[in-house]
CSV table of all heavy atoms in Angstrom, one decimal:
chain,number,residue,atom,x,y,z
W,205,ALA,N,0.8,-1.2,0.0
W,205,ALA,CA,0.0,0.0,0.0
W,205,ALA,C,0.9,1.3,0.0
W,205,ALA,O,0.4,2.3,-0.5
W,205,ALA,CB,-0.9,0.0,1.2
W,206,LYS,N,2.1,1.1,0.5
W,206,LYS,CA,3.0,2.3,0.6
W,206,LYS,C,3.9,2.3,-0.6
W,206,LYS,O,4.7,3.2,-0.7
W,206,LYS,CB,3.8,2.2,1.9
W,206,LYS,CG,3.0,2.3,3.2
W,206,LYS,CD,3.8,2.1,4.4
W,206,LYS,CE,3.0,2.0,5.7
W,206,LYS,NZ,3.9,1.8,6.9
W,207,ALA,N,3.9,1.3,-1.4
W,207,ALA,CA,4.9,1.1,-2.5
W,207,ALA,C,4.6,2.1,-3.6
W,207,ALA,O,3.5,2.3,-4.0
W,207,ALA,CB,4.9,-0.3,-3.0
W,208,PRO,N,5.7,2.8,-4.1
W,208,PRO,CA,5.5,3.7,-5.2
W,208,PRO,C,5.1,3.0,-6.5
W,208,PRO,O,5.5,1.8,-6.7
W,208,PRO,CB,6.8,4.4,-5.3
W,208,PRO,CG,7.8,3.4,-4.8
W,208,PRO,CD,7.1,2.7,-3.7
W,209,LYS,N,4.4,3.7,-7.4
W,209,LYS,CA,4.1,3.1,-8.7
W,209,LYS,C,4.6,4.1,-9.8
W,209,LYS,O,4.7,5.3,-9.6
W,209,LYS,CB,2.6,2.9,-8.8
W,209,LYS,CG,2.1,1.9,-7.8
W,209,LYS,CD,0.6,1.7,-7.9
W,209,LYS,CE,0.1,0.7,-7.0
W,209,LYS,NZ,0.4,0.9,-5.6
W,210,ILE,N,4.9,3.6,-11.0
W,210,ILE,CA,5.4,4.4,-12.1
W,210,ILE,C,4.2,5.0,-12.8
W,210,ILE,O,3.3,4.2,-13.3
W,210,ILE,CB,6.3,3.5,-13.0
W,210,ILE,CG1,7.5,3.1,-12.2
W,210,ILE,CG2,6.7,4.3,-14.2
W,210,ILE,CD1,8.4,2.2,-13.0
W,211,VAL,N,4.3,6.3,-13.0
W,211,VAL,CA,3.2,7.0,-13.7
W,211,VAL,C,3.6,7.1,-15.2
W,211,VAL,O,2.7,6.8,-16.1
W,211,VAL,CB,3.0,8.4,-13.2
W,211,VAL,CG1,2.1,9.2,-14.0
W,211,VAL,CG2,2.6,8.4,-11.7
W,212,ARG,N,4.8,7.3,-15.5
W,212,ARG,CA,5.2,7.4,-16.9
W,212,ARG,C,6.7,7.1,-17.0
W,212,ARG,O,7.5,7.3,-16.0
W,212,ARG,CB,4.9,8.7,-17.6
W,212,ARG,CG,5.7,9.9,-17.0
W,212,ARG,CD,5.4,11.2,-17.7
W,212,ARG,NE,6.2,12.3,-17.1
W,212,ARG,CZ,7.4,12.6,-17.4
W,212,ARG,NH1,8.1,12.0,-18.3
W,212,ARG,NH2,8.0,13.6,-16.7
W,213,MET,N,7.2,6.7,-18.2
W,213,MET,CA,8.6,6.4,-18.4
W,213,MET,C,9.0,6.8,-19.8
W,213,MET,O,8.2,6.6,-20.8
W,213,MET,CB,8.8,4.9,-18.2
W,213,MET,CG,10.3,4.5,-18.2
W,213,MET,SD,10.5,2.7,-18.1
W,213,MET,CE,9.7,2.4,-16.5
W,214,ILE,N,10.1,7.5,-19.9
W,214,ILE,CA,10.7,7.9,-21.2
W,214,ILE,C,12.1,7.3,-21.3
W,214,ILE,O,12.9,7.7,-20.5
W,214,ILE,CB,10.7,9.4,-21.4
W,214,ILE,CG1,9.3,10.0,-21.3
W,214,ILE,CG2,11.3,9.8,-22.7
W,214,ILE,CD1,9.3,11.5,-21.3
W,215,PRO,N,12.2,6.4,-22.3
W,215,PRO,CA,11.3,5.9,-23.3
W,215,PRO,C,10.3,4.9,-22.6
W,215,PRO,O,10.6,4.4,-21.5
W,215,PRO,CB,12.1,5.1,-24.3
W,215,PRO,CG,13.3,4.6,-23.4
W,215,PRO,CD,13.6,5.7,-22.5
W,216,ALA,N,9.2,4.6,-23.2
W,216,ALA,CA,8.2,3.7,-22.7
W,216,ALA,C,8.8,2.3,-22.6
W,216,ALA,O,9.5,1.9,-23.5
W,216,ALA,CB,6.9,3.7,-23.5
W,217,ASN,N,8.4,1.6,-21.6
W,217,ASN,CA,8.9,0.3,-21.4
W,217,ASN,C,8.4,-0.6,-22.5
W,217,ASN,O,7.2,-0.6,-22.9
W,217,ASN,CB,8.4,-0.3,-20.1
W,217,ASN,CG,9.2,-1.5,-19.6
W,217,ASN,OD1,10.1,-2.0,-20.3
W,217,ASN,ND2,8.9,-2.0,-18.4
W,218,GLY,N,9.4,-1.3,-23.2
W,218,GLY,CA,9.0,-2.1,-24.3
W,218,GLY,C,9.0,-1.5,-25.7
W,218,GLY,O,8.8,-2.1,-26.7
W,219,ASP,N,9.3,-0.2,-25.7
W,219,ASP,CA,9.3,0.6,-27.0
W,219,ASP,C,10.4,0.0,-27.9
W,219,ASP,O,11.5,-0.1,-27.5
W,219,ASP,CB,9.5,2.1,-26.7
W,219,ASP,CG,9.3,2.9,-27.9
W,219,ASP,OD1,9.2,2.4,-29.1
W,219,ASP,OD2,9.2,4.2,-27.8
W,220,GLN,N,10.0,-0.3,-29.1
W,220,GLN,CA,11.0,-0.9,-30.1
W,220,GLN,C,11.4,0.1,-31.1
W,220,GLN,O,12.2,-0.2,-32.1
W,220,GLN,CB,10.3,-2.1,-30.8
W,220,GLN,CG,9.9,-3.2,-29.9
W,220,GLN,CD,11.2,-3.8,-29.2
W,220,GLN,OE1,12.0,-4.4,-29.9
W,220,GLN,NE2,11.2,-3.7,-27.9
W,221,GLU,N,11.0,1.4,-31.0
W,221,GLU,CA,11.4,2.4,-32.0
W,221,GLU,C,11.9,3.7,-31.2
W,221,GLU,O,11.5,4.8,-31.6
W,221,GLU,CB,10.2,2.8,-32.8
W,221,GLU,CG,9.8,1.7,-33.8
W,221,GLU,CD,10.8,1.5,-34.9
W,221,GLU,OE1,11.4,2.5,-35.3
W,221,GLU,OE2,10.9,0.4,-35.5
W,222,VAL,N,12.8,3.5,-30.3
W,222,VAL,CA,13.3,4.6,-29.5
W,222,VAL,C,14.3,5.4,-30.3
W,222,VAL,O,15.2,4.8,-31.0
W,222,VAL,CB,13.9,4.1,-28.2
W,222,VAL,CG1,14.6,5.3,-27.4
W,222,VAL,CG2,12.9,3.4,-27.3
W,223,ASP,N,14.2,6.7,-30.3
W,223,ASP,CA,15.2,7.6,-31.0
W,223,ASP,C,16.6,7.4,-30.4
W,223,ASP,O,16.7,7.7,-29.2
W,223,ASP,CB,14.7,9.0,-30.8
W,223,ASP,CG,15.6,10.0,-31.5
W,223,ASP,OD1,16.6,9.6,-32.1
W,223,ASP,OD2,15.3,11.2,-31.5
W,224,PRO,N,17.6,7.0,-31.1
W,224,PRO,CA,18.9,6.8,-30.6
W,224,PRO,C,19.5,8.1,-30.1
W,224,PRO,O,20.5,8.1,-29.4
W,224,PRO,CB,19.7,6.2,-31.7
W,224,PRO,CG,19.0,6.6,-33.0
W,224,PRO,CD,17.5,6.6,-32.6
W,225,GLY,N,18.9,9.2,-30.5
W,225,GLY,CA,19.4,10.5,-30.1
W,225,GLY,C,18.9,10.9,-28.7
W,225,GLY,O,19.3,12.0,-28.2
W,226,LEU,N,18.0,10.1,-28.1
W,226,LEU,CA,17.5,10.4,-26.8
W,226,LEU,C,18.7,10.5,-25.8
W,226,LEU,O,19.5,9.7,-25.7
W,226,LEU,CB,16.5,9.3,-26.3
W,226,LEU,CG,15.8,9.5,-25.0
W,226,LEU,CD1,14.7,10.6,-25.2
W,226,LEU,CD2,15.2,8.2,-24.5
W,227,THR,N,18.7,11.6,-25.0
W,227,THR,CA,19.8,11.8,-24.1
W,227,THR,C,19.5,11.5,-22.6
W,227,THR,O,20.4,11.7,-21.8
W,227,THR,CB,20.3,13.3,-24.2
W,227,THR,OG1,19.2,14.1,-23.9
W,227,THR,CG2,20.7,13.6,-25.6
W,228,LYS,N,18.3,11.1,-22.3
W,228,LYS,CA,18.0,10.9,-20.9
W,228,LYS,C,16.9,9.9,-20.7
W,228,LYS,O,16.0,9.9,-21.6
W,228,LYS,CB,17.8,12.2,-20.1
W,228,LYS,CG,16.6,13.0,-20.7
W,228,LYS,CD,16.5,14.3,-19.9
W,228,LYS,CE,15.3,15.1,-20.5
W,228,LYS,NZ,15.2,16.4,-19.8
W,229,ILE,N,16.9,9.1,-19.7
W,229,ILE,CA,15.8,8.2,-19.3
W,229,ILE,C,15.1,8.9,-18.1
W,229,ILE,O,15.8,9.2,-17.1
W,229,ILE,CB,16.4,6.8,-18.9
W,229,ILE,CG1,16.9,6.2,-20.2
W,229,ILE,CG2,15.2,6.0,-18.3
W,229,ILE,CD1,17.6,4.8,-19.9
W,230,GLU,N,13.8,9.1,-18.2
W,230,GLU,CA,13.1,9.7,-17.2
W,230,GLU,C,12.0,8.8,-16.6
W,230,GLU,O,11.3,8.1,-17.4
W,230,GLU,CB,12.4,11.0,-17.7
W,230,GLU,CG,13.3,12.2,-17.8
W,230,GLU,CD,12.5,13.5,-18.1
W,230,GLU,OE1,11.3,13.4,-18.3
W,230,GLU,OE2,13.2,14.5,-18.2
W,231,ILE,N,11.8,8.7,-15.3
W,231,ILE,CA,10.8,7.9,-14.7
W,231,ILE,C,10.1,8.8,-13.7
W,231,ILE,O,10.7,9.4,-12.8
W,231,ILE,CB,11.4,6.7,-14.0
W,231,ILE,CG1,12.2,5.9,-15.0
W,231,ILE,CG2,10.3,5.8,-13.4
W,231,ILE,CD1,13.2,4.9,-14.4
W,232,GLU,N,8.7,8.8,-13.8
W,232,GLU,CA,7.9,9.6,-12.9
W,232,GLU,C,7.1,8.6,-12.0
W,232,GLU,O,6.5,7.7,-12.5
W,232,GLU,CB,7.0,10.5,-13.6
W,232,GLU,CG,6.1,11.4,-12.7
W,232,GLU,CD,5.2,12.3,-13.4
W,232,GLU,OE1,5.2,12.4,-14.7
W,232,GLU,OE2,4.3,12.9,-12.8
């Protein structure tokens, strides 16, 4: 009940078309 959950992720988990120019991984 106290455990955090992921709202969004960049890139999205499982994405097979990620831009190789992406410079950061973000997790909210």
Side-chain angles (χ1 to χ4, degrees):
K206 301 175 184 177
K209 297 177 178 59
I210 295 175
V211 174
R212 67 178 176 87
M213 187 182 301
I214 301 175
N217 199 355
D219 191 343
Q220 298 296 295
E221 290 289 331
V222 176
D223 181 359
L226 185 71
T227 60
K228 57 186 178 180
I229 292 173
E230 285 188 355
I231 302 164
E232 181 179 354

